Amino acid sequence: MPTDLSSIPGAGGGRRRGRSGPPGRPPRQYDPPLLGDPRRSGRLDAPRPRFGRRPKGPKAWTPRTQRRSIPWSSLFIALGFVLLGTYIWTQFWGATRVDVAITGLEDGAQLTLDEASGLDVRIDVAQLDLESGLEPTLFFNGLPAVDDTYEVSEDGVRWTPPPLEEGVHELSMSVGRPLLDEAEFSWVFAVDGTPPMIEVASPQPAVPICSPVTVTGRAETGLASITVDGEDLELADDGTFTLEYDNAPTGPVLIQAQDVAGNRAAAEVVIPVEYPSSQSMHVTAAAWGYAPLREHIIEMVDAGKVSAVQLDIKDEGGIVGYDTDVDMAHEIGAVRQEYVLEDAIELLKGKGMRIIGRIVAFRDGPMARWAVDNGRMDYVIQDNEGGMLSKYGGFTNVANPDVRQYNIDLAMEAVDRGVDEILWDYVRRPEGDIAGMVFPGLQVPEGGDDLAEKQAVNDAVVSFLAEAGDPLREACVYQGASLFGVAARNPDAIGQPVPAIARHVDYIAPMLYPSHWVRGEYRVDHPNAQPYEIITKSLTDFQTKAAGSGVAFNLWVQDFSIGIPYGPAEVRAQIDAARDLGVDSWLLWNATVRYTPEAITPDIVDLPGEE
């Protein structure tokens, strides 16, 4: 009986899993079943691993329950690297950067020609080191700047170019630096010497005195500013603009523009009014109050010799000859009632006449004497000793606001009573050397000479007409100014600048009496004997001086005799000379109010109702 348990079937001792083959035989390998082997299940399966493994796939996130610590040594090392890098960058930046500061010119500047003719530009370079041989190099419009236009010093560069032309310019500079390319700087600027464009017609077409006015024009776009009479003017996208007024302004409209370079331009717009054709005669207060002379005047009116009558409101003696309500006239003793103004106006207007109220402004003896007696020396023109200037018995001061207001008050009262026009006379200073005249309150530039004082008087006369014109225009009443014949040739002699006055009145009434000219004046041998020639020459001069204003003219005609007898031919010659120059309005003058009806024919009178 076998004693070896291995020989008993089913018996086994402590055998390990997996058998071993006979001694000397290699271990049995896994042999997959062949095709057709009944052990196949229809698919090829890889051998199942002997030990189970966790399949690969997404894992659920499980928060770390304990932070991973960073060693302090690592932090110190990192910080050291940061500090080292910062130090290196700082040293590099300090060695290579170039700081500049420029004065006298800005990048993008817009300069006028005047500004560009005196440039003094300084470029300070903080890190400049001339000893190292690294100097800045200056360029102008892409080319090296001319040597004598700039100099280099330890502080930087100074550039003083010659006057520059219009256009866009570039100033640039390069500065050498270690390890890197040169540092480059540039400043672009423009030189503009062209004033801004303003397009508007002046004078405008004449308009009725009391009707709305529209003015259109165009200006350059992109301006720094544009104003009309000091108020901002709004431009359309294409630069057009429109000005609208209830009625024509009494003086020029001033449009001013400034571009971004600082260039300035101005345009003066004059809007004249339509002045009706007027043929008239001078009538004093005393003449109207005296029946025989009043009848002579009415005969002239009824005969169709005139279309208007000029009545004195205040005459050259300073006398107010009607029943005025102006207190100042009574206070200074100027009132001498010769007629009732409303009655005269009613009668003459009933006959179709227009009424011109004449006011002698600054030749005013009653006011001058009252001023002296009452310690108001500022009312009068003084001599160099502080006394009243004796010319004409006293000449009041155009620069004094009270004197001006007195005259305006008389004018507006006459308007309220029905006059159609106000014609100022003696709206000037006395003739003579201005060095012997003192105008209290006159605005003369400090240190001004006689020429400056003359200009100041001129300005005062014009400003008075501007001041008086506003209420008259509002009342739809025309304003005229009688001007001395010499005013066209020598305005400073009396304070009547024709071009300026023409822009502030509706008509000018030049006093071109042939008897008042000396022989040879305007190259006329004997003016008093040649009325047509002297009127032609002198009136042409006035028209030339007033050109561009659109002002009308109403000629004073000499109907009196001095030296040479004046009759119908001499009176008519003056009227014909004016008509040949396009002036069909006139006023007959005779201090005695005795006129020559034979000089007047119906064809030269525009009576009411006639076309």
Side-chain angles (χ1 to χ4, degrees):
M1 185 174 185
T3 58
D4 185 1
L5 290 177
S6 62
S7 62
I8 300 175
R15 289 172 47 183
R16 288 177 292 199
R17 285 188 175 182
R19 298 178 185 176
S20 299
R25 183 179 178 179
R28 183 178 178 183
Q29 300 294 323
Y30 170 74
D31 294 324
L34 299 175
L35 291 175
D37 191 310
R39 291 178 297 172
R40 293 181 64 91
S41 61
R43 65 184 181 188
L44 291 175
D45 293 328
R48 186 181 299 275
R50 296 177 64 89
F51 301 99
R53 294 185 179 178
R54 185 175 181 177
K56 295 182 179 180
K59 298 180 180 179
W61 178 80
T62 302
R64 187 185 301 271
T65 58
Q66 184 177 358
R67 291 187 177 181
R68 180 180 299 172
S69 61
I70 300 176
W72 283 103
S73 59
S74 298
L75 291 175
F76 283 121
I77 293 172
L79 179 59
F81 276 113
V82 170
L83 294 175
L84 178 61
T86 303
Y87 173 78
I88 294 173
W89 171 252
T90 302
Q91 294 300 310
F92 178 76
W93 173 252
T96 59
R97 70 173 181 172
V98 178
D99 291 331
V100 300
I102 187 169
T103 57
L105 182 68
E106 294 182 0
D107 188 35
Q110 300 276 345
L111 308 178
T112 64
L113 284 174
D114 286 343
E115 292 170 334
S117 66
L119 282 178
D120 186 356
V121 180
R122 297 171 187 263
I123 308 173
D124 295 333
V125 184
Q127 291 79 20
L128 191 60
D129 185 2
L130 298 179
E131 294 182 357
S132 67
L134 296 178
E135 291 190 2
T137 304
L138 204 63
F139 299 88
F140 182 59
N141 291 338
L143 299 174
V146 178
D147 290 343
D148 61 3
T149 65
Y150 76 100
E151 59 183 15
V152 180
S153 66
E154 294 180 354
D155 295 327
V157 182
R158 181 180 182 183
W159 183 55
T160 53
L164 303 180
E165 297 180 351
E166 286 190 85
V168 178
H169 302 283
E170 181 184 22
L171 176 67
S172 57
M173 182 182 71
S174 63
V175 181
R177 53 184 177 174
L179 302 179
L180 297 177
D181 293 337
E182 293 180 332
E184 296 181 348
F185 305 88
S186 67
W187 300 270
V188 177
F189 62 97
V191 176
D192 181 4
T194 304
M197 178 273 293
I198 304 175
E199 292 180 351
V200 61
S202 182
Q204 291 279 306
V207 297
I209 191 169
C210 272
S211 65
V213 178
T214 299
V215 177
T216 59
R218 187 168 68 92
E220 180 179 322
T221 58
L223 294 170
S225 67
I226 182 168
T227 61
V228 55
D229 289 336
E231 300 290 334
D232 290 339
L233 176 61
E234 183 176 352
L235 300 180
D237 291 342
D238 60 354
T240 57
F241 61 84
T242 301
L243 308 177
E244 295 182 344
Y245 301 93
D246 293 336
N247 50 44
T250 56
V253 175
L254 182 61
I255 302 174
Q256 296 176 298
Q258 180 176 330
D259 61 22
V260 294
N263 296 299
R264 298 174 183 270
E268 188 181 78
V269 184
V270 179
I271 308 172
V273 297
E274 297 172 350
Y275 181 67
S277 177
S278 175
Q279 298 78 39
S280 61
M281 55 184 169
H282 161 64
V283 177
T284 65
W288 186 262
Y290 181 55
L293 286 180
R294 183 170 63 251
E295 291 173 3
H296 170 64
I297 295 162
I298 292 174
E299 287 175 1
M300 293 277 290
V301 170
D302 291 341
K305 301 295 183 177
V306 292
S307 63
V309 173
Q310 177 260 292
L311 292 174
D312 274 357
I313 304 300
K314 177 161 71 89
D315 64 18
E316 50 268 67
I319 300 300
V320 178
Y322 67 97
D323 53 327
T324 179
D325 292 329
V326 176
D327 292 337
M328 177 62 78
H330 291 280
E331 185 175 354
I332 65 178
V335 180
R336 185 186 303 161
Q337 186 172 338
E338 301 282 359
Y339 71 107
V340 177
L341 181 57
E342 291 97 325
D343 291 349
I345 291 174
E346 182 180 2
L347 175 61
L348 292 170
K349 284 196 170 184
K351 295 178 178 292
M353 295 293 102
R354 297 176 57 256
I355 309 301
I356 303 171
R358 172 177 173 258
I359 299 178
V360 176
F362 301 111
R363 176 180 172 179
D364 193 332
M367 173 167 271
R369 291 188 292 272
W370 175 90
V372 173
D373 293 341
N374 289 271
R376 294 306 307 264
M377 294 301 295
D378 56 318
Y379 278 27
V380 300
I381 300 175
Q382 303 172 13
D383 56 28
N384 290 332
E385 285 71 43
M388 182 184 75
L389 194 71
S390 61
K391 282 182 177 291
Y392 299 107
F395 221 100
T396 55
N397 180 13
V398 65
N400 185 276
D402 293 338
V403 172
R404 292 159 73 126
Q405 191 59 52
Y406 170 55
N407 286 284
I408 293 172
D409 288 344
L410 288 172
M412 296 314 298
E413 179 184 60
V415 168
D416 291 340
R417 298 194 185 191
V419 303
D420 302 294
E421 303 175 19
I422 292 294
L423 175 57
W424 300 105
D425 210 339
Y426 282 87
V427 57
R428 62 180 181 88
R429 72 170 177 89
E431 61 271 27
D433 187 0
I434 199 169
M437 303 178 190
V438 177
F439 300 81
L442 185 67
Q443 298 298 311
V444 183
E446 186 175 354
D449 54 10
D450 288 350
L451 184 60
E453 188 170 11
K454 289 178 181 179
Q455 182 60 52
V457 173
N458 293 357
D459 293 343
V461 169
V462 174
S463 69
F464 167 74
L465 292 170
E467 181 182 352
D470 286 339
L472 293 175
R473 177 57 51 82
E474 187 175 347
C476 302
V477 170
Y478 297 99
Q479 174 176 237
S482 297
L483 302 188
F484 240 33
V486 72
R489 299 187 72 173
N490 188 10
D492 292 345
I494 52 173
Q496 289 187 330
V498 176
I501 289 176
R503 285 159 171 76
H504 288 85
V505 297
D506 304 316
Y507 67 92
I508 287 174
M511 298 180 287
L512 306 180
Y513 310 129
S515 61
H516 284 39
W517 298 104
V518 299
R519 289 176 179 255
E521 195 81 40
Y522 283 107
R523 297 187 178 181
V524 177
D525 292 337
H526 194 343
N528 201 14
Q530 298 173 273
Y532 183 93
E533 288 78 2
I534 190 61
I535 294 297
T536 299
K537 295 288 186 65
S538 58
L539 182 55
T540 297
D541 195 11
F542 267 87
Q543 290 177 317
T544 300
K545 297 303 191 323
S549 68
V551 72
F553 281 88
N554 192 355
L555 176 72
W556 280 110
V557 172
Q558 177 179 328
D559 193 358
F560 59 89
S561 300
I562 295 181
I564 293 178
Y566 262 52
E570 290 76 16
V571 172
R572 183 58 179 260
Q574 298 170 73
I575 294 173
D576 288 344
R579 288 174 61 84
D580 289 347
L581 293 174
V583 176
D584 59 4
S585 294
W586 40 263
L587 304 103
L588 300 176
W589 174 273
N590 187 316
T592 65
V593 194
R594 290 285 186 181
Y595 296 106
T596 308
E598 298 83 6
I600 313 301
T601 54
D603 61 300
I604 63 172
V605 179
D606 294 317
L607 294 173
E610 294 183 348
E611 294 296 332

